[in-house]
Amino acid sequence: MAEKIHGVISRITFHNETTGYTIATVELDYEDKSIAKHKAKLFSNKLTVVGLLDRKPFENEEYIFCGDFINDPNYGYQFKFQSFERKTVESIEGAISYLSSDFFPGIGKKTAKIIVEELGAGAVSVIASEKKRLYAIEELSLKQKDTVYSNVISNMVNQKTVLFLLKHGITIDMSLKIISILGANTIELIKENPYILMERIERIGFKKNDVIALNMGIDPNSPVRLVALLMYIIKEASFQLGYTYLGKDQLYSLACKEIDRDDYKFASVTYEEILKRLVLENKIVIDSHRRVFDSMLFYDEIDLAQRIRALIEDKNRFSDKYGKSNIDLAFSKILKKEDMEYSEKQIEAIKSALSDPITIITGGPGTGKTTIIHAIIKMYLELNKNNENLVEEIALVAPTGRAAKRLKEVSGLNATTIHKFLGFEGHGVFKHGKENPTTARLIIVDEASMMDISLASRLFVSMEKNARIVIVGDSDQLPSVGPGQVLLDLIDSKEIKVVRLDKIHRQAEGSTIIKLAHSINEGQLPENILEKQHDRNFINTDDDFILDMTIKAIRYAMEKGLDIVRDIQVLIPMYRGEVGINEFNRSIQEELNPHRIGEDEISHLGRKFRIDDKVLQLVNRSEKAVMNGDIGTIIGFLRKEGEPKGIKVLFDFGAVEYTLDELEDLNHAYAISVHKSQGSEFELVIMPISSKHFIMLKKKLIYTAVTRAKKSLLMIGNVQALNRGIRFVEEGRQTTLKEKIRNLFEPSTINNIDDDLSAFKTLGENDMEGISPHTFMD
């Protein structure tokens, strides 16, 4: 049974601001009966306490700790606490120590003494309850008074909130994260909707949130709980599996699996009631095929399909200069200026890009996609050579920062991310949309396989009415991290001009990496896979040796002049396990950038950040101009009073600062996932391959990884696992974009779907059953 001790902090040995882990010494009162029984075990009235605190304690601060006495073999008798209560400061020494602590910038001991002399030992309580007495102290400036009052109130609220969250099983570090996001009204917001945590806080899913909510006494059949459950499953299917919908029965089955217990069953009648509620709240759409969509994704597919139909059917919007004769003439001029040979497919792609409103150019590595982008730009310039603002009319975009950088390098023109092109302002807000279109007349999208449905929809609906779009990508690569399989669905719709490049061109013919990629795509490994080639090699070895051999390969490459940040990249399918990304990053960091005595480092969520570390940005942050997938190097620490409180990372475009709270945005990048590598090329790619990767090791992933290697590819591990992987074809994603596009081109389809959707929105609750937008479309 847990015990309680009550004491005053006399010394702080250690406090980690990120995790809250604290080692401190408290002074005990032997007259306290709860302490007296342990007197024989204690050498003095001083005791070391160990546990998690919401903030760094200060000397003379009084606590009640709840936990257990332990006898540590190295450090002796200690008290390990699981929870705490911070007593109101009621001593002169404690009040002065508190008010002159780090919580009150600009308030030193001299000012703190003035306050305590005026308000007494209970100064902190007086400040909270009688604000006017603090503001009556003439020796203090208004700024000092505001600092003292606001921070006293803030600390009291935070303490109350942390204790509330701790009581419901939330850790200190997560509590601080929650408070930083939800603010001073955290308790009220959680009581109002206990499932707000999974909606607003990363790393809190339904299961963790559900435990908290049930502990708070929420009814298992509460609509709030069941709404949260269904929306969680729908969003997980979208962002983990890439689906844009779940079947109605499929959703119910997954929901039952999540919450059914011996003492509780999710009734089908209740399920139907919750679905109706979600439809009425416009959170989901259910179509006539009993498919359940997140509303945003449903309308993203609708908007994209409608925009595609409008672009294709409005053939009269282009001037005569884009007619066949003018395009042929412009192409002949380009051929005279350039010493280039184009295949029939390439010529078809180049001309289609100028004659058709939408053109898709797809093909594997070495098939000349980059060459075609060059030619399309030159053709557009030739056809519009009298236009003074010509270059501004061309937009080269890609889904990630690294893909945009590569596009800029190969095209010689400025290229940007799709987010930046659309004026992304953060939190789902874009400058450009249907009402404020972009001004580009020619949009070329590279690495289009990475576009998810929401981004693609936003891009298309933001197009100026006379613009054309060229979509370039490899449909055999991994689909987007987000929901949808846009490139594949656009191709499979059969309504858009598609040019497939299937010939490996002369400049790529000598690459055995490219030949390997095409073999993988056909589900075959070359017979010489274990034979060393001039640009690739496979070292067949057991799992136990993969990590060591990877490190040796990195060291060898660096000795040959390759840069660990710019040129060398380890690609691994999964994060966890002894052959996962996390373990490789930890081990490679220790080998290449070990912690040295006297040098600082920052610990965060089990990771250690050091100067010269290679790091990866995990999310888009438009306010910092840094995007998901950007790779950089830590070049310095942000300091406060000499202590590291953040880091500075140098990316290709400049330096970006991160506070401790923002370190969740980063991970080490010595090894990264194949998904994160999309849109990038590296001089040397190292691929550890283990049978333990079997869950993720599939054909598209292997193919994508291999095609990231620009000059050299080294595979280390199990060749049988590789062979099994390329025969394992990923299941298609559940999407309806292809279907929606086809439906819009069928003569029987009602043209004005917008009116039908409006009618759908005005239906009453009693009219909802069995009705959906698809009712009007079928």
Side-chain angles (χ1 to χ4, degrees):
M1 183 177 176
E3 299 192 59
K4 286 186 178 180
I5 64 166
H6 154 227
V8 176
I9 301 290
S10 61
R11 181 169 176 263
I12 301 97
T13 304
F14 177 79
H15 175 75
N16 185 305
E17 289 193 17
T18 303
T19 64
Y21 184 74
T22 305
I23 303 172
T25 302
V26 295
E27 192 170 308
L28 307 172
D29 181 2
Y30 277 154
E31 294 182 5
D32 186 335
K33 292 181 181 178
S34 64
I35 299 299
K37 61 182 179 180
H38 296 286
K39 187 174 180 180
K41 300 176 184 177
L42 302 171
F43 292 105
S44 69
N45 68 334
K46 301 281 182 74
L47 176 65
T48 298
V49 294
V50 179
L52 302 178
L53 290 177
D54 59 323
R55 62 165 173 79
K56 186 178 181 180
F58 57 87
E59 290 185 9
N60 299 312
E61 194 170 22
E62 193 173 356
Y63 282 81
I64 294 174
F65 294 107
C66 182
D68 299 289
F69 284 93
I70 60 170
N71 192 4
D72 188 281
N74 296 316
Y75 301 104
Y77 213 52
Q78 297 180 339
F79 190 81
K80 187 173 183 179
F81 63 90
Q82 279 76 47
S83 62
F84 67 89
E85 179 182 346
R86 189 177 290 117
K87 304 290 286 182
T88 304
V89 180
E90 296 291 352
S91 69
I92 290 175
E93 296 83 2
I96 292 172
S97 181
Y98 175 56
L99 293 172
S100 61
S101 68
D102 291 343
F103 304 118
F104 301 90
I107 309 297
K109 283 211 169 183
K110 183 179 178 182
T111 305
K113 283 180 181 178
I114 292 172
I115 297 171
V116 175
E117 286 171 2
E118 185 69 31
L119 304 181
V124 177
S125 297
V126 172
I127 291 166
S129 60
E130 299 179 65
K131 179 181 178 180
K132 61 184 180 181
R133 289 184 61 185
L134 168 68
Y135 280 78
I137 301 175
E138 295 181 357
E139 292 92 334
L140 273 66
S141 68
L142 179 60
K143 183 179 179 181
Q144 288 176 318
K145 294 170 186 176
D146 288 342
T147 296
V148 170
Y149 180 74
S150 63
N151 285 303
V152 162
I153 297 301
S154 175
N155 285 336
M156 284 184 169
V157 170
N158 281 0
Q159 179 187 340
K160 180 183 176 183
T161 305
V162 166
L163 292 174
F164 170 82
L165 295 172
L166 284 172
K167 178 183 176 183
H168 292 293
I170 298 174
T171 62
I172 286 288
D173 60 327
M174 184 55 74
S175 296
L176 298 178
K177 176 76 172 176
I178 291 168
I179 293 169
S180 71
I181 293 173
L182 300 185
N185 297 321
T186 295
I187 295 176
E188 290 74 17
L189 290 171
I190 293 174
K191 285 182 176 179
E192 182 182 334
N193 175 15
Y195 295 91
I196 193 174
L197 297 176
M198 57 180 274
E199 295 173 8
R200 301 280 301 277
I201 313 297
E202 292 180 19
R203 295 194 294 130
I204 292 186
F206 177 80
K207 284 184 179 179
K208 188 179 290 186
N209 203 151
D210 198 39
V211 170
I212 296 165
L214 293 173
N215 284 341
M216 290 173 61
I218 195 167
D219 189 314
N221 262 330
S222 165
V224 173
R225 181 187 188 224
L226 300 176
V227 162
L229 167 67
L230 295 188
M231 291 309 299
Y232 165 76
I233 293 173
I234 292 168
K235 289 185 184 300
E236 282 290 291
S238 298
F239 292 96
Q240 296 298 323
L241 301 175
Y243 294 178
T244 60
Y245 74 87
L246 285 170
K248 192 175 175 183
D249 294 339
Q250 185 182 18
L251 175 58
Y252 180 55
S253 175
L254 291 169
C256 291
K257 191 178 294 185
E258 193 76 33
I259 62 170
D260 275 6
R261 303 288 183 271
D262 291 340
D263 58 344
Y264 176 81
K265 299 294 179 186
F266 188 12
S268 60
V269 174
T270 307
Y271 173 62
E272 294 291 342
E273 291 172 354
I274 298 299
L275 286 181
K276 286 181 181 179
R277 173 175 175 155
L278 288 170
V279 169
L280 288 170
E281 292 176 355
N282 287 325
K283 290 182 177 178
I284 65 170
V285 171
I286 305 175
D287 71 9
S288 58
H289 300 287
R290 294 170 55 86
R291 296 179 295 205
V292 184
F293 299 78
D294 177 280
S295 291
M296 293 291 290
L297 298 182
F298 179 83
Y299 289 110
D300 283 338
E301 286 189 334
I302 285 283
D303 288 345
L304 179 52
Q306 288 181 326
R307 188 71 176 108
I308 286 169
R309 183 189 65 172
L311 287 170
I312 292 174
E313 291 191 342
D314 188 9
K315 296 178 180 179
N316 298 322
R317 60 198 172 92
F318 295 133
S319 64
D320 291 339
K321 66 183 173 186
Y322 295 108
K324 183 178 184 303
S325 60
N326 285 337
I327 288 174
D328 288 344
L329 180 61
F331 186 68
S332 65
K333 289 180 180 180
I334 297 296
L335 284 179
K336 287 179 182 178
K337 293 177 184 177
E338 304 289 336
D339 183 22
M340 284 290 297
E341 291 183 12
Y342 297 100
S343 68
E344 287 186 16
K345 287 286 187 182
Q346 286 181 315
I347 295 170
E348 180 187 357
I350 294 164
K351 292 184 176 182
S352 295
L354 279 303
S355 62
D356 289 86
I358 311 173
T359 303
I360 297 174
I361 302 168
T362 186
T367 55
K369 296 189 295 296
T370 301
T371 301
I372 290 173
I373 291 174
H374 274 284
I376 292 169
I377 294 169
K378 289 170 185 172
M379 286 281 287
Y380 188 83
L381 295 173
E382 178 65 32
L383 287 165
N384 296 275
K385 56 188 173 186
N386 295 323
N387 188 339
E388 293 180 0
N389 300 316
L390 192 51
V391 174
E392 295 177 9
E393 291 186 358
I394 303 172
L396 303 181
V397 299
T400 68
R402 290 185 68 83
K405 181 191 173 191
R406 181 165 159 261
L407 181 57
K408 180 179 180 179
E409 289 170 351
V410 300
S411 69
L413 292 179
N414 188 38
T416 186
T417 63
I418 300 174
H419 279 83
K420 189 172 182 180
F421 174 63
L422 296 175
F424 181 61
E425 297 173 357
H427 308 292
V429 178
F430 291 83
K431 177 183 175 182
H432 294 292
K434 198 176 294 185
E435 305 304 321
N436 182 28
T438 56
T439 58
R441 294 293 186 91
L442 172 64
I443 301 171
I444 300 177
V445 186
D446 197 18
E447 297 288 354
S449 63
M450 300 169 67
M451 274 198 304
D452 64 30
I453 184 62
S454 297
L455 187 59
S457 179
R458 168 67 64 166
L459 176 64
F460 271 77
V461 300
S462 301
M463 287 173 59
E464 195 263 355
K465 66 178 182 179
N466 290 321
R468 69 186 72 239
I469 187 165
V470 181
I471 300 169
V472 183
D474 186 347
S475 58
D476 293 317
Q477 283 191 30
L478 287 168
S480 58
V481 174
Q485 48 184 15
V486 174
L487 179 60
L488 196 59
D489 282 349
L490 294 181
I491 293 170
D492 289 347
S493 73
K494 309 295 185 185
E495 300 293 345
I496 301 168
K497 174 66 177 181
V498 177
V499 181
R500 295 181 183 273
L501 306 174
D502 50 17
K503 179 183 177 184
I504 299 176
H505 286 265
R506 187 174 59 238
Q507 59 270 34
E509 286 178 352
S511 170
T512 70
I513 298 173
I514 289 176
K515 291 175 181 175
L516 172 63
H518 285 278
S519 294
I520 289 170
N521 213 17
E522 293 166 3
Q524 301 290 330
L525 276 184
E527 291 182 2
N528 65 351
I529 185 66
L530 295 179
E531 297 175 14
K532 189 177 186 307
Q533 307 296 314
H534 72 275
D535 57 354
R536 68 167 170 84
N537 193 15
F538 194 113
I539 301 174
N540 197 23
T541 189
D542 294 335
D543 285 356
D544 294 344
F545 303 108
I546 292 176
L547 178 53
D548 287 343
M549 296 187 78
T550 298
I551 292 171
K552 287 177 182 177
I554 293 172
R555 285 197 175 281
Y556 179 78
M558 292 173 68
E559 289 170 3
K560 293 295 183 181
L562 294 187
D563 182 79
I564 183 62
V565 176
R566 184 183 63 250
D567 302 323
I568 306 168
Q569 190 58 63
V570 179
L571 300 181
I572 301 178
M574 53 204 299
Y575 281 87
R576 296 181 180 177
E578 59 190 26
V579 284
I581 291 169
N582 294 336
E583 179 60 24
F584 268 66
N585 271 327
R586 187 194 64 77
S587 299
I588 295 171
Q589 181 196 37
E590 287 304 313
E591 284 289 329
L592 301 184
N593 193 25
H595 183 240
R596 295 173 178 85
I597 296 173
E599 291 184 356
D600 286 321
E601 66 178 7
I602 291 179
S603 295
H604 184 268
L605 299 178
R607 304 162 304 166
K608 298 182 186 298
F609 292 103
R610 301 167 185 156
I611 302 295
D612 294 330
D613 268 342
K614 179 180 182 180
V615 291
L616 171 77
Q617 175 73 17
L618 300 173
V619 292
N620 292 328
R621 297 291 182 202
S622 60
E623 67 277 13
K624 291 178 178 284
V626 61
M627 305 300 284
N628 184 357
D630 286 341
I631 292 176
T633 309
I634 298 177
I635 58 171
F637 289 118
L638 308 180
R639 297 183 182 276
K640 181 180 178 183
E641 297 180 359
E643 292 295 314
K645 302 295 182 182
I647 63 175
K648 183 182 288 187
V649 179
L650 182 64
F651 293 100
D652 294 333
F653 52 84
V656 176
E657 295 184 348
Y658 296 80
T659 64
L660 292 175
D661 291 339
E662 294 170 331
L663 292 181
E664 283 187 351
D665 285 2
L666 294 174
N667 197 16
H668 291 99
Y670 301 104
I672 64 174
S673 70
V674 180
H675 275 102
K676 291 293 184 186
S677 75
Q678 276 188 274
S680 303
E681 282 187 341
F682 308 93
E683 296 291 303
L684 168 62
V685 165
I686 301 175
M687 287 177 59
I689 296 172
S690 166
S691 56
K692 294 176 182 176
H693 295 153
F694 73 94
I695 295 175
M696 298 291 293
L697 204 59
K698 299 174 185 177
K699 187 169 78 171
K700 279 185 182 288
L701 183 138
I702 297 168
Y703 173 80
T704 303
V706 166
T707 56
R708 299 311 91 204
K710 188 175 181 180
K711 290 186 177 178
S712 300
L713 171 68
L714 175 61
M715 294 174 281
I716 304 174
N718 188 323
V719 72
Q720 285 79 24
L722 176 65
N723 195 35
R724 282 195 300 271
I726 65 172
R727 298 174 191 279
F728 200 128
V729 180
E730 294 87 340
E731 292 182 11
R733 293 182 171 187
Q734 294 182 186
T735 68
T736 61
L737 175 62
K738 173 179 67 176
E739 174 187 320
K740 285 182 170 78
I741 294 171
R742 285 178 175 174
N743 284 346
L744 286 171
F745 283 92
E746 289 178 2
S748 60
T749 302
I750 298 174
N751 288 331
N752 197 344
I753 295 176
D754 284 334
D755 290 343
D756 296 332
L757 292 175
S758 298
F760 164 73
K761 290 178 182 177
T762 61
L763 290 173
E765 182 174 359
N766 295 332
D767 303 316
M768 291 300 300
E769 191 162 357
I771 302 294
S772 79
H774 271 285
T775 302
F776 306 104
M777 294 167 60
D778 290 340

